[in-house]
Amino acid sequence: MDSGPYYFVKDLPLHELIAHEFINTFVKKGACYALTYNTNIDEDNTVALLPNGKLILSLDKDTYEETGLQGRPSQYSGRKTMKFVVSIDLMDLSSKLDSKKYERISWAFKEKKPLKFDFLLAWHQTGAEGSAMMSYFSSYRIQEHQPKIVLSTMTDVQCPVLQSGELRGQPGAACSAQELFEWLGAVFSNAALNNEPDNFISTYCCPQPSTVVAKAYLCTITGFILPEKIRLLLEQLCRYFDEPKLAPWVTLSVQGFADSPVSWRENEHGFRKGGEHLYNFVVFSNRDYWLQLAVGANDDCPP
């Protein structure tokens, strides 16, 4: 299926994302997403544009003070505040283009502290031309990308036995949702599942009860993928059971960018050791499903 496109823009000035024309063209007419690329949340300035029109900036102390913008200390700064979070509502800003607030923000990004980043950008609007973003940023170095898709077949896979009504598992009858989650991590990491004595990398073994599946398919899609595309993919997976199948369940896991300034909704994302924030759907043949949400230790719990 078509899971793109998305765009990579080199050295894009931040003031372009608060421009009146950009807001009217993309932010107000669909869902627009942006994320700084090759920036580390714990070391660098990072920026994300959310589909609700919120521009979230995670700034180091010096940059924050130089911009003169209003924000709040990062909740993951520790005793000495070294990071600050600034949230700018582009929808509200666009309705007051002659206001002092807009003038101050525009001056901060254009003159006082000009900031440039490499950005990943994507835009979703039903019926709109995908090339609109290419045309808009044609004066910058912009490239169109499609997510990378890798298909693989695994044979004789030891899989946990699941029952849709037993989230906590049932001794001897079904594994728990937590055990499945750990097992999926091992599968995605291509780890051995049999705890062999001479394996010094992984001592993990498949939870019990388990069954050996002769053939399983793993599809990995990597890129800047929009929720609208993920929803379509989930719908396609659900249709897998329109006709009787031997497989008891299918699963869809979505992993967020480790260095995004936000994790769930507008909650701040912290990064020290892991930086993970992800969710996982398990769809059963009877159309029951599980939804699992996970974040790292330096994050608010998902909604």
Side-chain angles (χ1 to χ4, degrees), residues 8-73:
F8 174 73
V9 187
K10 188 80 175 173
D11 293 328
L12 181 67
L14 188 56
H15 69 77
E16 288 284 8
L17 299 188
I18 65 166
H20 179 59
E21 185 181 357
F22 176 80
I23 297 172
N24 281 345
T25 304
F26 297 105
V27 178
K28 287 186 175 181
K29 297 178 180 178
C32 191
Y33 303 78
L35 181 65
T36 48
Y37 184 69
N38 271 344
T39 52
N40 299 318
I41 186 68
D42 53 340
E43 298 176 337
D44 306 319
N45 299 315
T46 60
V47 179
L49 173 60
L50 310 185
N52 61 2
K54 294 288 183 67
L55 187 66
I56 309 294
L57 290 73
S58 176
L59 305 175
D60 61 47
K61 187 173 183 289
D62 290 343
T63 304
Y64 174 72
E65 291 176 348
E66 288 177 49
T67 61
L69 299 176
Q70 276 191 317
R72 57 177 175 79

Side-chain angles (χ1 to χ4, degrees), residues 221-292:
I221 307 175
T222 307
F224 195 51
I225 306 164
L226 301 189
E228 290 81 5
K229 302 291 186 180
I230 295 169
R231 185 170 62 247
L232 286 174
L233 183 56
L234 182 60
E235 289 174 0
Q236 292 289 336
L237 280 175
C238 290
R239 290 178 195 157
Y240 176 76
F241 292 116
D242 283 351
E243 297 177 5
K245 298 288 197 305
L246 292 176
W249 47 268
V250 294
T251 184
L252 171 68
S253 295
V254 182
Q255 302 196 27
F257 285 78
D259 288 289
S260 167
V262 294
S263 55
W264 295 96
R265 295 180 181 172
E266 295 170 40
N267 290 338
E268 185 182 351
H269 179 48
F271 188 126
R272 290 209 178 131
K273 292 184 178 179
E276 56 277 310
H277 50 133
L278 62 147
Y279 60 90
N280 181 62
F281 276 100
V282 185
V283 183
F284 292 89
S285 58
N286 63 357
R287 299 305 177 92
D288 286 351
Y289 74 90
W290 294 351
L291 171 59
Q292 299 166 300

Side-chain angles (χ1 to χ4, degrees), residues 17-290:
L17 299 188
I18 65 166
H20 179 59
E21 185 181 357
F22 176 80
I23 297 172
N24 281 345
T25 304
F26 297 105
V27 178
K28 287 186 175 181
K29 297 178 180 178
C32 191
Y33 303 78
L35 181 65
T36 48
Y37 184 69
N38 271 344
T39 52
N40 299 318
I41 186 68
D42 53 340
E43 298 176 337
D44 306 319
N45 299 315
T46 60
V47 179
L49 173 60
L50 310 185
N52 61 2
K54 294 288 183 67
L55 187 66
I56 309 294
L57 290 73
S58 176
L59 305 175
D60 61 47
K61 187 173 183 289
D62 290 343
T63 304
Y64 174 72
E65 291 176 348
E66 288 177 49
T67 61
L69 299 176
Q70 276 191 317
R72 57 177 175 79
S74 167
Q75 60 182 328
Y76 305 116
S77 287
R79 292 183 180 179
K80 190 176 182 181
T81 302
M82 299 304 293
K83 294 281 287 187
F84 290 82
V85 178
V86 177
S87 178
I88 301 172
D89 189 338
L90 298 186
M91 293 292 200
D92 178 64
L93 204 63
S94 67
S95 63
K96 304 169 184 176
L97 292 177
D98 56 349
S99 67
K100 289 185 178 180
K101 181 179 179 181
Y102 182 81
E103 289 178 3
R104 186 175 72 250
I105 295 173
S106 183
W107 173 71
F109 291 160
K110 283 185 176 180
E111 299 177 37
K112 194 166 191 291
K113 185 62 178 178
L115 295 170
K116 290 183 178 181
F117 299 95
D118 296 344
F119 272 101
L120 297 175
L121 288 160
W123 182 55
H124 176 80
Q125 185 193 28
T126 304
E129 290 186 16
S131 59
M133 196 160 268
M134 283 283 288
S135 302
Y136 185 86
F137 290 112
S138 59
S139 59
Y140 295 96
R141 285 182 288 171
I142 181 171
Q143 298 174 335
E144 180 178 311
H145 292 273
Q146 291 288 342
K148 180 183 178 182
I149 301 176
V150 177
L151 292 166
S152 59
T153 302
M154 301 178 293
T155 57
D156 298 327
V157 184
Q158 196 173 8
C159 292
V161 173
L162 305 178
Q163 292 182 12
S164 61
E166 296 289 349
L167 272 167
R168 297 181 183 275
Q170 189 70 254
C175 296
S176 68
Q178 179 65 40
E179 288 173 319
L180 169 72
F181 201 68
E182 293 172 352
W183 178 83
L184 284 172
V187 170
F188 296 155
S189 303
N190 198 29
L193 305 174
N194 48 15
N195 190 17
E196 292 179 351
D198 58 346
N199 189 333
F200 299 102
I201 297 176
S202 172
T203 58
Y204 180 81
C205 60
C206 183
Q208 297 300 321
S210 66
T211 183
V212 175
V213 175
K215 187 180 290 186
Y217 295 102
L218 176 63
C219 174
T220 304
I221 307 175
T222 307
F224 195 51
I225 306 164
L226 301 189
E228 290 81 5
K229 302 291 186 180
I230 295 169
R231 185 170 62 247
L232 286 174
L233 183 56
L234 182 60
E235 289 174 0
Q236 292 289 336
L237 280 175
C238 290
R239 290 178 195 157
Y240 176 76
F241 292 116
D242 283 351
E243 297 177 5
K245 298 288 197 305
L246 292 176
W249 47 268
V250 294
T251 184
L252 171 68
S253 295
V254 182
Q255 302 196 27
F257 285 78
D259 288 289
S260 167
V262 294
S263 55
W264 295 96
R265 295 180 181 172
E266 295 170 40
N267 290 338
E268 185 182 351
H269 179 48
F271 188 126
R272 290 209 178 131
K273 292 184 178 179
E276 56 277 310
H277 50 133
L278 62 147
Y279 60 90
N280 181 62
F281 276 100
V282 185
V283 183
F284 292 89
S285 58
N286 63 357
R287 299 305 177 92
D288 286 351
Y289 74 90
W290 294 351

